[in-house]
Amino acid sequence: MLVQWDHGAPGMTAMLWRAAQAFNDSHILVSAQKAQDCIWNRGILSKGLMQCHGISGNTYMMLDMYQGTMNNTYLYRAIQMQTFVMTYPLLHDPSTMRVPSPADEAFQHWVGSYPGAVVLWADFLYGAGPAGAAMTGFSPLF
């Protein structure tokens, strides 16, 4: 029921829209949009902020699709995902948030709640901004 990076749909969106560009194929673009809709409908995760199996990775994929298509729907969705984070104390309050990583992995970008969120927010707000934000370790070139 949950859609997260290691379940496929988020990573597929980037591949699909790039394939749509490479082959100039509107059918593939529709598939990318359907994958994004799947993330939007089932990817507002409350299990953590991680990039792999949390809401940060799904936010990055919305930003990735926005960058490729310049469709403001995906930017809106990315912002709304982070708005959800800010209104759900389990995700933003360090005293209550879920930190699923073992102590030796607590600061990894992909599986740690803190670094996934810090990198996303720094990238989103102070770094490259929505038009240039790139998920850690995932920066496909086209």
Side-chain angles (χ1 to χ4, degrees), residues 49-116:
L49 301 172
M50 299 74 67
Q51 290 184 15
C52 179
H53 40 273
I55 199 167
S56 293
N58 291 348
T59 301
Y60 265 123
M61 289 301 96
M62 289 294 167
L63 292 173
D64 191 58
M65 187 76 162
Y66 165 71
Q67 293 163 9
T69 64
M70 297 311 286
N71 182 334
N72 286 329
T73 296
Y74 304 113
L75 177 58
Y76 170 81
R77 289 176 174 181
I79 292 168
Q80 291 307 307
M81 285 183 168
Q82 292 307 300
T83 300
F84 175 76
V85 168
M86 297 310 298
T87 58
Y88 195 69
L90 187 62
L91 291 173
H92 73 266
D93 183 350
S95 67
T96 62
M97 68 188 291
R98 181 175 181 257
V99 182
S101 305
D104 60 341
E105 295 179 0
F107 297 102
Q108 289 185 6
H109 294 290
W110 281 80
V111 296
S113 274
Y114 296 118

